[in-house]
Amino acid sequence: MSLQLIRSFIANIFLSPFAFLRIILLRLRKGFTYTSEYTMPPPKFYHDDEAWKDVEPLPQDDGGMHPLAAIAYTEEYSEAMGYLRAVMASNEFSERVLGLTEHIISMNPAHYTVWLYRAKTISELGKPLQDEIEWLNPTALKHLKNYQIWHHRQTIIDALGSPEGEAEFVSQMLEKDEKNYHVWSYRQWLVKRFDLFDNLEELQWTESMIDADVRNNSAWNHRYYLVIGGREGHAPSEEVTKREIEYTKEAIRKASQNQSPWNYLKGILRAAQLPKSTIKSFATEFADLEAPDDVYSSHALDLLADIYAEEENNKESAEKALDLLATRYDPIRANYWNYRKGLLSQSEVAA
Amino acid sequence: MSLVSGPGRAGVGNMPAEMQLFVDKHVRYIQSLDTRKDELEYWLTEHLRLNGLYWGLTALHLLGHPDALPRNEILDFLCSCLHDNGGFGAAPGHDAHMLYTVSAVQILATLDAFGEFEERVKDGRQKVGKFIADLQDSETGTFAGDEWGERDTRFLYGALNALSLMGLLDLVDVAKAVQHVHSCANFDGGYGTSPGAESHSGQVFTCVGALTIAGRLDLVDQERLGAWLSERQLKNGGLNGRPEKQEDVCYSWWVMSSMAMLGKLHWIDGEKLTQFILQCQDPELGGLADRPGDMVDVFHTVFGIAGLSLLKYPGLEEVDPIYCMPRSVTRRCLGK
Ligand SMILES: [Zn+2]
């Protein structure tokens, strides 16, 4: 059954890992066929290949739906899949199977069964894992949004037991798409698997990513993971807390209407068990209730509203900040800001 | 015009042109999807076929055309994807995987076909339940997608979704699963694919959905998460999945359903979002795209329509924010 599904979900929904399909389709429309951005290799067929003459390809079984519908997808892909079904049915693990999986992956890397069978084949043949990584590198660069590749890579690096060269490769991937969720998740896995939390280079690299794009939420998240999140709930030392607060303040000064560092700053304060008022004077640099026309950051106003609400007898200021948000600086979320205002009077009643 | 005041069909005919949902066009679009086998993309998306069936069927039900696809053919196809181990593959000949198994269970529930499934497959539900339960990691409580072992909160959510629809939640360690979800909570209030992974609206949906099914929403920092979710709305009314990313119709579903489960849907501007979703329709050939002007697909079609249902767009069937299925169906399966 069905469907001209193009991107995303379920196998990858959220991360729109099937975005590559969209790219394929766009290329098709432009008159290309799949994958390579450069020159198209000639199609590869198996039926007249000496090395495959002992294999009878298995036909596609479409499950009985529309048995009469003409199956007219490209002959090359169709034939290769027929041979894959045949070798899987006979549990063949061999060099030629590796070649076949490579061929199918180059046409359709989201076909998860192919990856699974490739991993099995490598393990059955006892192939050098380093070779597989070398083969994977250009493949991953070609198919940025594909997540099967990352899972495959993780399995192999885990078995190899060394992260050597991986940091460079991740950086190379992020140059192409600096917020790629799979790549960042993989980087986190490397940090955890090889205990790189106190590796100074890792922190410096994160900093360089934030420097390159101060709005990259993935980079901020990675920093949090390094400094606090991955450390099993240990509160940051006074020194680390201070360093992080100063670092984040600098980033906010570069772009004050930027959610990521504000969230990060609040996260650091919470982890260090410091009150929000710690950064009150900093926040007023961007939003001063006395100058309501010159608000440079709705996030600063938001934070100030919380700080004022906690102060004695300053509900009025909190209300004013929330009003500014609801009416001028973030009106699309007026209901949320009004809800926060409602909480103010509730706590008054309670007091 | 108030969008939250519905439901009822009265408004449909009188809608201003830019607020019109082209129901018949969308129905025909979904019906046409299976007749496009001469196109390469049909075959390149084979690994999504069972999901696609669930998306199309759900969209049709929400549009009020539950019989627009042939029921028996769907069941035939679905059974042809079933493996001996109780899992479903995306299409015949594809390996069994959690995601397709969940779609299969959702389809069976939507078609009210568990009885027929048992007739075709002896102890069918128990078998499927066992396949899902076996994918739980007994140490961490999370779930893998297949024997290959990739783990992700999506699979955990899928497991609880399907098992609860079949009344088989007791096959797994729900408390451990809940613990795992809780460990994926981030400093910004959101959730990621695994502990420490960046917050992402899609993962928020799966985590909040899992906790809702388990009856453990008390573990969620509801204020902070609600605020983070409402921050996903951009000036054009659309919602994004992470800070500083582009809006996209499918996030209408993941963000809004999460907010609905938290009872905070009113924190975003429903009217603006409705307009944004409606702009993503293809008014001639039907279907919805991720954003105005892009190519349509069934994935964005169902999540756009489900989003409109949450916004109480007149004439649509009510959707269940936890399951992304018609509320009437989940009421029948869950008895509540
Ligand atoms: Zn989307």
Side-chain angles (χ1 to χ4, degrees):
Chain A
M1 182 86 199
S2 155
L3 301 172
Q4 172 211 15
L5 307 167
I6 302 164
R7 280 149 264 189
S8 337
F9 203 52
I10 277 211
N12 284 300
I13 353 186
F14 321 137
L15 316 179
S16 80
F18 289 122
F20 79 95
L21 270 179
R22 183 183 162 77
I23 296 165
I24 290 172
L25 293 170
L26 287 174
R27 278 201 199 117
L28 278 173
R29 287 183 155 187
K30 287 183 197 145
F32 291 91
T33 13
Y34 21 74
T35 58
S36 170
E37 292 182 19
Y38 313 103
T39 49
M40 285 302 302
K44 158 141 190 57
F45 289 103
Y46 296 85
H47 58 266
D48 51 1
D49 186 336
E50 233 357 73
W52 285 91
K53 72 173 195 299
D54 56 311
V55 178
E56 190 62 40
L58 288 183
Q60 165 76 19
D61 173 7
D62 198 26
M65 286 193 87
H66 308 284
L68 298 177
I71 296 176
Y73 59 113
T74 78
E75 277 172 52
E76 183 187 8
Y77 181 71
S78 159
E79 191 196 85
M81 285 303 297
Y83 279 85
L84 180 74
R85 282 188 286 269
V87 294
M88 284 175 66
S90 65
N91 269 316
E92 176 181 329
F93 302 104
S94 62
E95 284 295 334
R96 70 177 181 183
V97 166
L98 280 185
L100 176 65
T101 57
E102 178 174 344
H103 181 208
I104 294 171
I105 285 166
S106 77
M107 292 188 277
N108 187 7
H111 198 300
Y112 62 101
T113 300
V114 182
W115 286 101
L116 179 55
Y117 202 67
R118 183 176 177 87
K120 268 190 201 155
T121 308
I122 286 167
S123 127
E124 292 285 332
L125 295 179
K127 297 290 290 179
L129 299 175
Q130 198 55 50
D131 292 359
E132 183 67 0
I133 289 296
E134 264 152 42
W135 172 75
L136 264 180
N137 286 354
T139 309
L141 284 164
K142 227 186 278 173
H143 305 289
L144 289 178
K145 297 282 186 186
N146 179 279
Y147 88 121
Q148 280 88 351
I149 291 177
W150 292 97
H151 185 69
H152 192 72
R153 186 175 196 99
Q154 194 170 311
T155 311
I156 289 163
I157 293 293
D158 189 33
L160 267 172
S162 158
E164 214 190 301
E166 289 306 280
E168 291 73 29
F169 181 69
V170 165
S171 304
Q172 213 186 333
M173 284 294 294
L174 290 175
E175 267 169 38
K176 300 205 157 201
D177 174 8
E178 73 277 8
K179 295 177 186 174
N180 188 307
Y181 201 93
H182 307 302
V183 182
W184 284 101
S185 299
Y186 178 68
R187 184 84 180 205
Q188 273 192 355
W189 175 81
L190 287 173
V191 168
K192 191 171 169 135
R193 166 69 176 80
F194 299 104
D195 193 15
L196 306 175
F197 288 103
D198 292 312
N199 181 328
L200 196 60
E201 280 169 29
E202 189 68 20
L203 191 67
Q204 284 167 347
W205 172 76
T206 310
E207 239 165 76
S208 72
M209 291 303 293
I210 294 174
D211 277 349
D213 177 8
V214 74
R215 294 175 187 274
N216 187 339
N217 194 60
S218 308
W220 284 101
N221 184 70
H222 193 69
R223 188 174 180 102
Y224 193 88
Y225 184 72
L226 278 183
V227 175
I228 293 166
R231 296 174 184 257
E232 320 264 322
H234 296 299
S237 69
E238 216 171 295
E239 188 197 334
V240 167
T241 305
K242 205 169 155 230
R243 180 192 74 197
E244 292 306 305
I245 291 177
E246 287 314 311
Y247 177 77
T248 312
K249 281 180 175 175
E250 274 318 299
I252 290 174
R253 288 195 176 103
K254 277 188 219 162
S256 58
Q257 189 56 23
N258 178 9
Q259 284 164 48
S260 307
W262 286 103
N263 278 338
Y264 186 82
L265 197 49
K266 285 191 270 186
I268 294 288
L269 292 177
R270 235 185 348 262
Q273 298 183 313
L274 291 170
K276 286 176 177 166
S277 55
T278 310
I279 49 171
K280 180 178 174 183
S281 69
F282 174 71
T284 49
E285 287 178 31
F286 308 96
D288 184 348
L289 293 186
E290 301 308 314
D293 292 338
D294 300 318
V295 170
Y296 300 104
S297 171
S298 64
H299 308 297
L301 260 185
D302 175 0
L303 187 69
L304 284 170
D306 272 345
I307 294 170
Y308 293 140
E310 280 164 17
E311 288 174 358
E312 206 131 337
N313 300 322
N314 213 357
K315 298 270 186 293
E316 223 170 281
S317 300
E319 202 160 295
K320 209 167 153 189
L322 293 170
D323 267 335
L324 279 174
L325 285 161
T327 57
R328 287 185 66 178
Y329 291 102
D330 193 17
I332 203 160
R333 295 201 292 156
N335 285 343
Y336 169 65
W337 302 118
N338 290 331
Y339 162 81
R340 290 260 298 266
K341 248 171 71 180
L343 293 181
L344 293 175
S345 49
Q346 265 176 34
S347 62
E348 239 160 36
V349 173
Chain B
M1 183 198 63
S2 166
L3 280 165
V4 280
S5 63
R9 313 184 70 94
V12 180
N14 313 323
M15 285 274 177
E18 75 275 10
M19 292 302 274
Q20 193 96 262
L21 179 68
F22 301 102
V23 173
D24 293 341
K25 297 272 166 69
H26 298 320
V27 171
R28 237 167 298 141
Y29 165 72
I30 294 165
Q31 287 175 321
S32 78
L33 290 168
D34 196 40
T35 61
R36 303 173 61 165
K37 295 193 173 184
D38 55 339
E39 295 175 25
L40 175 63
E41 62 194 64
Y42 178 88
W43 299 103
L44 285 178
T45 53
E46 191 182 68
H47 61 282
L48 286 174
R49 197 108 330 135
L50 208 47
N51 299 146
L53 192 48
Y54 154 68
W55 296 328
L57 188 68
T58 302
L60 289 170
H61 274 253
L62 296 178
L63 289 167
H65 289 258
D67 301 320
L69 289 178
R71 188 172 188 279
N72 270 328
E73 279 190 51
I74 293 177
L75 291 177
D76 288 345
F77 175 75
L78 188 136
C79 287
S80 72
C81 299
L82 180 65
H83 290 247
D84 292 338
N85 64 5
F88 287 83
H94 284 240
D95 286 339
H97 192 284
M98 174 75 84
L99 295 173
Y100 312 113
T101 306
V102 175
S103 282
V105 170
Q106 289 181 294
I107 292 167
L108 288 171
T110 302
L111 294 177
D112 196 9
F114 282 127
E116 283 151 274
F117 182 59
E118 294 287 331
E119 279 166 27
R120 289 167 185 239
V121 182
K122 195 168 170 293
D123 297 324
R125 261 178 295 192
Q126 279 293 335
K127 272 187 191 143
V128 175
K130 184 171 177 333
F131 171 81
I132 295 174
D134 286 348
L135 289 170
Q136 186 171 31
D137 182 331
S138 57
E139 220 169 277
T140 64
T142 189
F143 283 79
D146 58 25
E147 53 169 313
W148 210 10
E150 190 214 357
R151 285 164 176 77
D152 185 322
T153 42
R154 276 180 295 150
F155 308 143
L156 187 155
Y157 161 75
L160 298 196
N161 174 322
L163 290 174
S164 61
L165 288 174
M166 297 190 293
L168 295 174
L169 264 185
D170 53 355
L171 291 182
V172 294
D173 189 337
V174 175
K176 263 234 162 97
V178 163
Q179 245 173 44
H180 177 76
V181 172
H182 193 45
S183 73
C184 295
N186 282 325
F187 65 96
D188 54 16
Y191 294 83
T193 49
S194 54
E198 187 183 358
S199 296
H200 190 290
S201 313
Q203 303 300 146
V204 170
F205 163 73
T206 62
C207 290
V208 174
L211 293 175
T212 307
I213 292 170
R216 291 306 309 272
L217 270 186
D218 60 297
L219 291 174
V220 179
D221 186 339
Q222 302 195 14
E223 299 278 303
R224 196 178 317 145
L225 177 55
W228 188 86
L229 287 165
S230 69
E231 270 187 305
R232 305 280 57 79
Q233 188 162 35
L234 304 176
K235 287 206 171 67
N236 61 12
L239 305 172
N240 65 10
R242 297 185 263 165
E244 300 294 335
K245 299 282 281 186
Q246 263 191 301
E247 71 284 357
D248 180 331
V249 156
C250 61
Y251 293 110
S252 308
W253 174 254
W254 291 309
V255 174
M256 271 205 290
S257 57
S258 305
M259 297 187 85
M261 288 186 258
L262 299 175
K264 302 195 184 318
L265 194 50
H266 57 290
W267 282 5
I268 55 169
D269 188 326
E271 192 158 342
K272 278 207 160 131
L273 179 55
T274 303
Q275 279 165 7
F276 172 77
I277 297 174
L278 291 172
Q279 281 162 13
C280 295
Q281 301 178 95
D282 179 336
E284 267 131 50
L285 298 173
L288 280 85
D290 57 355
R291 55 186 75 90
D294 281 358
M295 204 165 28
V296 303
D297 59 74
V298 67
F299 174 79
H300 289 95
T301 302
V302 65
F303 290 118
I305 290 169
L308 289 173
S309 169
L310 277 184
L311 290 165
K312 302 238 187 303
Y313 187 91
L316 291 178
E317 284 285 311
E318 184 188 350
V319 68
D320 187 324
I322 310 164
Y323 291 88
C324 195
M325 291 162 66
R327 184 69 187 94
S328 57
V329 170
T330 58
R331 208 175 277 132
R332 183 177 64 224
C333 293
L334 307 169
K336 59 181 180 189

